[in-house]
Amino acid sequence: MAKMHYQPGRYVCQITGQAMGESSNGNPQFVLRFKVLGRPDPNDANSYLTDPNQYERTFYRSITEKTIDYFMDDLKALGFHGSSFKDLDPNTPGFHDFNGKEIEMYCNENIYKGEARESWAIVTSVELNVKPIEAGKLRQLDNLFGKQLKTISKPQSSPRPMPAVTPAGVDDDVPF
């Protein structure tokens, strides 16, 4: 089995090209070429941990009735606001050029003909359309299942107060 270079997970990537075309089965297809820059920094949401081997990868999205909602989410995540699919095609004058844009992509592992392959997707921040729960129903959940929840909760320990120590030679009368 072939070894994947990138492990499954999120990556910060820079778009290097795009195209509109047809897939092998004749469906319209959007293609993004991108360079993997690194992984998002867990300690800084505005930064990433640079990958020493910044390989280029390709994302393919066939456009059908079954995939159109996913494609719309992809376009929203890319910041596309056009009114025609022609605006995505580099052969159209004044097309929406994504080249140079940094985005988050997600790498999955797919098995194809017995070999592990990378499969890439655009990370979309999909809003959850959920009816808010009433406070009474939350209390009811606590009454029904509160014991189970307590088994995973950690006891809160109060922090120890730090002793007040004045280093030798420090004048307490200095006003700063």
Side-chain angles (χ1 to χ4, degrees):
M1 203 178 309
K3 183 181 178 209
M4 295 179 26
H5 178 77
Y6 293 105
Q7 295 303 309
R10 286 181 176 229
Y11 292 86
V12 176
C13 303
Q14 184 176 47
I15 297 172
T16 59
Q18 71 193 66
M20 288 294 292
E22 277 190 22
S23 67
S24 59
N25 59 4
N27 289 324
Q29 179 174 253
F30 178 67
V31 181
L32 273 184
R33 188 79 175 150
F34 57 93
K35 177 171 59 171
V36 178
L37 301 176
R39 287 218 182 233
D41 186 341
N43 299 317
D44 182 1
N46 298 316
S47 185
Y48 60 89
L49 306 172
T50 304
D51 191 293
N53 302 307
Q54 298 183 347
Y55 297 118
E56 283 203 342
R57 294 293 189 257
T58 306
F59 163 76
Y60 302 91
R61 173 69 78 195
S62 288
I63 307 167
T64 67
E65 284 186 36
K66 291 181 180 179
T67 64
I68 190 66
D69 291 336
Y70 298 112
F71 185 48
M72 291 297 105
D73 289 340
D74 293 338
L75 292 177
K76 287 176 193 172
L78 290 169
F80 179 71
H81 298 290
S83 60
S84 171
F85 291 103
K86 290 187 306 185
D87 295 336
L88 297 168
D89 187 357
N91 296 318
T92 301
F95 76 103
H96 188 120
D97 189 358
F98 297 112
N99 197 35
K101 181 176 180 68
E102 286 187 12
I103 59 170
E104 277 197 31
M105 299 289 291
Y106 192 88
C107 179
N108 285 304
E109 178 181 325
N110 281 347
I111 305 299
Y112 180 74
K113 294 184 179 181
E115 290 190 13
R117 294 179 134 188
E118 297 170 3
S119 173
W120 291 87
I122 296 171
V123 173
T124 58
S125 61
V126 179
E127 293 180 25
L128 298 177
N129 253 346
V130 178
K131 178 182 173 184
I133 192 167
E134 298 170 9
K137 289 187 179 183
L138 289 174
R139 282 191 302 275
Q140 186 179 14
L141 278 174
D142 283 339
N143 290 335
L144 290 171
F145 306 113
K147 288 181 183 176
Q148 288 88 336
L149 193 57
K150 287 180 181 175
T151 64
I152 63 169
S153 66
K154 294 182 181 178
Q156 300 270 339
S157 61
S158 56
R160 293 187 209 176
M162 296 296 292
V165 177
T166 305
V170 173
D171 186 353
D172 286 336
D173 294 333
V174 179
F176 59 87

PDB file of all heavy atoms in Angstrom, residues 14-33:
ATOM      1  N   GLN A  14      -2.224  27.434   0.193  1.00  0.00           N
ATOM      2  CA  GLN A  14      -2.283  28.621  -0.663  1.00  0.00           C
ATOM      3  C   GLN A  14      -2.665  28.177  -2.070  1.00  0.00           C
ATOM      4  O   GLN A  14      -2.019  27.296  -2.653  1.00  0.00           O
ATOM      5  CB  GLN A  14      -0.937  29.334  -0.692  1.00  0.00           C
ATOM      6  CG  GLN A  14      -0.973  30.618  -1.489  1.00  0.00           C
ATOM      7  CD  GLN A  14       0.342  31.345  -1.411  1.00  0.00           C
ATOM      8  OE1 GLN A  14       1.401  30.752  -1.582  1.00  0.00           O
ATOM      9  NE2 GLN A  14       0.273  32.633  -1.148  1.00  0.00           N
ATOM     10  N   ILE A  15      -3.713  28.792  -2.595  1.00  0.00           N
ATOM     11  CA  ILE A  15      -4.209  28.428  -3.920  1.00  0.00           C
ATOM     12  C   ILE A  15      -3.208  28.894  -4.976  1.00  0.00           C
ATOM     13  O   ILE A  15      -2.728  30.023  -4.938  1.00  0.00           O
ATOM     14  CB  ILE A  15      -5.595  29.044  -4.171  1.00  0.00           C
ATOM     15  CG1 ILE A  15      -6.594  28.478  -3.152  1.00  0.00           C
ATOM     16  CG2 ILE A  15      -6.066  28.777  -5.605  1.00  0.00           C
ATOM     17  CD1 ILE A  15      -7.951  29.134  -3.172  1.00  0.00           C
ATOM     18  N   THR A  16      -2.895  27.988  -5.911  1.00  0.00           N
ATOM     19  CA  THR A  16      -1.940  28.301  -6.979  1.00  0.00           C
ATOM     20  C   THR A  16      -2.584  28.242  -8.358  1.00  0.00           C
ATOM     21  O   THR A  16      -1.944  28.607  -9.340  1.00  0.00           O
ATOM     22  CB  THR A  16      -0.745  27.320  -6.942  1.00  0.00           C
ATOM     23  OG1 THR A  16      -1.232  25.979  -7.090  1.00  0.00           O
ATOM     24  CG2 THR A  16       0.032  27.455  -5.637  1.00  0.00           C
ATOM     25  N   GLY A  17      -3.831  27.788  -8.435  1.00  0.00           N
ATOM     26  CA  GLY A  17      -4.507  27.740  -9.729  1.00  0.00           C
ATOM     27  C   GLY A  17      -5.921  27.219  -9.595  1.00  0.00           C
ATOM     28  O   GLY A  17      -6.299  26.660  -8.569  1.00  0.00           O
ATOM     29  N   GLN A  18      -6.705  27.437 -10.642  1.00  0.00           N
ATOM     30  CA  GLN A  18      -8.084  26.975 -10.649  1.00  0.00           C
ATOM     31  C   GLN A  18      -8.520  26.724 -12.079  1.00  0.00           C
ATOM     32  O   GLN A  18      -7.911  27.249 -13.021  1.00  0.00           O
ATOM     33  CB  GLN A  18      -9.013  28.001  -9.997  1.00  0.00           C
ATOM     34  CG  GLN A  18      -9.205  29.259 -10.843  1.00  0.00           C
ATOM     35  CD  GLN A  18      -9.861  30.380 -10.087  1.00  0.00           C
ATOM     36  OE1 GLN A  18      -9.258  30.890  -9.143  1.00  0.00           O
ATOM     37  NE2 GLN A  18     -11.069  30.768 -10.487  1.00  0.00           N
ATOM     38  N   ALA A  19      -9.569  25.926 -12.240  1.00  0.00           N
ATOM     39  CA  ALA A  19     -10.097  25.647 -13.572  1.00  0.00           C
ATOM     40  C   ALA A  19     -11.537  25.185 -13.459  1.00  0.00           C
ATOM     41  O   ALA A  19     -11.953  24.655 -12.430  1.00  0.00           O
ATOM     42  CB  ALA A  19      -9.267  24.570 -14.267  1.00  0.00           C
ATOM     43  N   MET A  20     -12.276  25.388 -14.509  1.00  0.00           N
ATOM     44  CA  MET A  20     -13.597  24.791 -14.694  1.00  0.00           C
ATOM     45  C   MET A  20     -13.437  23.826 -15.855  1.00  0.00           C
ATOM     46  O   MET A  20     -12.838  24.168 -16.874  1.00  0.00           O
ATOM     47  CB  MET A  20     -14.662  25.838 -15.026  1.00  0.00           C
ATOM     48  CG  MET A  20     -15.065  26.727 -13.868  1.00  0.00           C
ATOM     49  SD  MET A  20     -15.913  25.872 -12.510  1.00  0.00           S
ATOM     50  CE  MET A  20     -17.460  25.432 -13.287  1.00  0.00           C
ATOM     51  N   GLY A  21     -13.945  22.620 -15.710  1.00  0.00           N
ATOM     52  CA  GLY A  21     -13.794  21.633 -16.772  1.00  0.00           C
ATOM     53  C   GLY A  21     -14.832  20.544 -16.647  1.00  0.00           C
ATOM     54  O   GLY A  21     -15.872  20.732 -16.016  1.00  0.00           O
ATOM     55  N   GLU A  22     -14.522  19.398 -17.237  1.00  0.00           N
ATOM     56  CA  GLU A  22     -15.396  18.233 -17.168  1.00  0.00           C
ATOM     57  C   GLU A  22     -14.653  17.088 -16.515  1.00  0.00           C
ATOM     58  O   GLU A  22     -13.470  16.872 -16.778  1.00  0.00           O
ATOM     59  CB  GLU A  22     -15.820  17.793 -18.582  1.00  0.00           C
ATOM     60  CG  GLU A  22     -16.973  18.551 -19.131  1.00  0.00           C
ATOM     61  CD  GLU A  22     -17.511  17.929 -20.423  1.00  0.00           C
ATOM     62  OE1 GLU A  22     -17.280  16.725 -20.670  1.00  0.00           O
ATOM     63  OE2 GLU A  22     -18.157  18.674 -21.170  1.00  0.00           O
ATOM     64  N   SER A  23     -15.385  16.334 -15.686  1.00  0.00           N
ATOM     65  CA  SER A  23     -14.802  15.144 -15.070  1.00  0.00           C
ATOM     66  C   SER A  23     -14.757  14.029 -16.106  1.00  0.00           C
ATOM     67  O   SER A  23     -15.302  14.158 -17.204  1.00  0.00           O
ATOM     68  CB  SER A  23     -15.632  14.717 -13.857  1.00  0.00           C
ATOM     69  OG  SER A  23     -16.906  14.267 -14.274  1.00  0.00           O
ATOM     70  N   SER A  24     -14.149  12.909 -15.742  1.00  0.00           N
ATOM     71  CA  SER A  24     -14.019  11.789 -16.679  1.00  0.00           C
ATOM     72  C   SER A  24     -15.380  11.216 -17.086  1.00  0.00           C
ATOM     73  O   SER A  24     -15.508  10.609 -18.140  1.00  0.00           O
ATOM     74  CB  SER A  24     -13.153  10.688 -16.078  1.00  0.00           C
ATOM     75  OG  SER A  24     -13.729  10.233 -14.864  1.00  0.00           O
ATOM     76  N   ASN A  25     -16.410  11.427 -16.251  1.00  0.00           N
ATOM     77  CA  ASN A  25     -17.740  10.925 -16.620  1.00  0.00           C
ATOM     78  C   ASN A  25     -18.632  12.020 -17.227  1.00  0.00           C
ATOM     79  O   ASN A  25     -19.834  11.835 -17.356  1.00  0.00           O
ATOM     80  CB  ASN A  25     -18.429  10.228 -15.446  1.00  0.00           C
ATOM     81  CG  ASN A  25     -18.601  11.130 -14.253  1.00  0.00           C
ATOM     82  OD1 ASN A  25     -18.273  12.313 -14.298  1.00  0.00           O
ATOM     83  ND2 ASN A  25     -19.115  10.579 -13.175  1.00  0.00           N
ATOM     84  N   GLY A  26     -18.039  13.158 -17.572  1.00  0.00           N
ATOM     85  CA  GLY A  26     -18.764  14.197 -18.297  1.00  0.00           C
ATOM     86  C   GLY A  26     -19.459  15.243 -17.449  1.00  0.00           C
ATOM     87  O   GLY A  26     -20.109  16.141 -17.992  1.00  0.00           O
ATOM     88  N   ASN A  27     -19.344  15.168 -16.115  1.00  0.00           N
ATOM     89  CA  ASN A  27     -19.968  16.183 -15.259  1.00  0.00           C
ATOM     90  C   ASN A  27     -19.120  17.451 -15.220  1.00  0.00           C
ATOM     91  O   ASN A  27     -17.889  17.387 -15.269  1.00  0.00           O
ATOM     92  CB  ASN A  27     -20.135  15.657 -13.829  1.00  0.00           C
ATOM     93  CG  ASN A  27     -21.191  14.599 -13.717  1.00  0.00           C
ATOM     94  OD1 ASN A  27     -22.209  14.649 -14.399  1.00  0.00           O
ATOM     95  ND2 ASN A  27     -20.961  13.616 -12.862  1.00  0.00           N
ATOM     96  N   PRO A  28     -19.762  18.621 -15.100  1.00  0.00           N
ATOM     97  CA  PRO A  28     -18.984  19.846 -14.886  1.00  0.00           C
ATOM     98  C   PRO A  28     -18.170  19.681 -13.606  1.00  0.00           C
ATOM     99  O   PRO A  28     -18.604  19.020 -12.660  1.00  0.00           O
ATOM    100  CB  PRO A  28     -20.047  20.927 -14.714  1.00  0.00           C
ATOM    101  CG  PRO A  28     -21.309  20.345 -15.229  1.00  0.00           C
ATOM    102  CD  PRO A  28     -21.196  18.862 -15.088  1.00  0.00           C
ATOM    103  N   GLN A  29     -17.005  20.304 -13.587  1.00  0.00           N
ATOM    104  CA  GLN A  29     -16.096  20.113 -12.460  1.00  0.00           C
ATOM    105  C   GLN A  29     -15.315  21.387 -12.186  1.00  0.00           C
ATOM    106  O   GLN A  29     -14.841  22.051 -13.104  1.00  0.00           O
ATOM    107  CB  GLN A  29     -15.134  18.978 -12.802  1.00  0.00           C
ATOM    108  CG  GLN A  29     -14.111  18.663 -11.760  1.00  0.00           C
ATOM    109  CD  GLN A  29     -13.308  17.443 -12.138  1.00  0.00           C
ATOM    110  OE1 GLN A  29     -13.473  16.396 -11.565  1.00  0.00           O
ATOM    111  NE2 GLN A  29     -12.441  17.559 -13.129  1.00  0.00           N
ATOM    112  N   PHE A  30     -15.160  21.712 -10.900  1.00  0.00           N
ATOM    113  CA  PHE A  30     -14.323  22.822 -10.450  1.00  0.00           C
ATOM    114  C   PHE A  30     -13.059  22.215  -9.869  1.00  0.00           C
ATOM    115  O   PHE A  30     -13.113  21.248  -9.105  1.00  0.00           O
ATOM    116  CB  PHE A  30     -15.057  23.645  -9.388  1.00  0.00           C
ATOM    117  CG  PHE A  30     -14.268  24.782  -8.831  1.00  0.00           C
ATOM    118  CD1 PHE A  30     -13.940  25.865  -9.631  1.00  0.00           C
ATOM    119  CD2 PHE A  30     -13.846  24.778  -7.519  1.00  0.00           C
ATOM    120  CE1 PHE A  30     -13.207  26.933  -9.111  1.00  0.00           C
ATOM    121  CE2 PHE A  30     -13.121  25.832  -6.993  1.00  0.00           C
ATOM    122  CZ  PHE A  30     -12.805  26.912  -7.792  1.00  0.00           C
ATOM    123  N   VAL A  31     -11.909  22.776 -10.228  1.00  0.00           N
ATOM    124  CA  VAL A  31     -10.624  22.245  -9.785  1.00  0.00           C
ATOM    125  C   VAL A  31      -9.805  23.370  -9.160  1.00  0.00           C
ATOM    126  O   VAL A  31      -9.711  24.459  -9.729  1.00  0.00           O
ATOM    127  CB  VAL A  31      -9.844  21.631 -10.978  1.00  0.00           C
ATOM    128  CG1 VAL A  31      -8.515  21.056 -10.516  1.00  0.00           C
ATOM    129  CG2 VAL A  31     -10.682  20.578 -11.690  1.00  0.00           C
ATOM    130  N   LEU A  32      -9.237  23.099  -8.000  1.00  0.00           N
ATOM    131  CA  LEU A  32      -8.311  24.031  -7.345  1.00  0.00           C
ATOM    132  C   LEU A  32      -6.969  23.344  -7.178  1.00  0.00           C
ATOM    133  O   LEU A  32      -6.898  22.205  -6.718  1.00  0.00           O
ATOM    134  CB  LEU A  32      -8.792  24.408  -5.947  1.00  0.00           C
ATOM    135  CG  LEU A  32      -9.752  25.551  -5.753  1.00  0.00           C
ATOM    136  CD1 LEU A  32      -9.990  25.790  -4.273  1.00  0.00           C
ATOM    137  CD2 LEU A  32      -9.289  26.814  -6.428  1.00  0.00           C
ATOM    138  N   ARG A  33      -5.924  24.042  -7.535  1.00  0.00           N
ATOM    139  CA  ARG A  33      -4.554  23.583  -7.276  1.00  0.00           C
ATOM    140  C   ARG A  33      -4.057  24.412  -6.105  1.00  0.00           C
ATOM    141  O   ARG A  33      -4.299  25.622  -6.039  1.00  0.00           O
ATOM    142  CB  ARG A  33      -3.689  23.805  -8.522  1.00  0.00           C
ATOM    143  CG  ARG A  33      -2.335  23.199  -8.438  1.00  0.00           C
ATOM    144  CD  ARG A  33      -2.395  21.715  -8.720  1.00  0.00           C
ATOM    145  NE  ARG A  33      -1.035  21.200  -8.743  1.00  0.00           N
ATOM    146  CZ  ARG A  33      -0.719  19.987  -8.394  1.00  0.00           C
ATOM    147  NH1 ARG A  33      -1.632  19.139  -8.039  1.00  0.00           N
ATOM    148  NH2 ARG A  33       0.522  19.589  -8.428  1.00  0.00           N
TER     149      ARG A  33
END
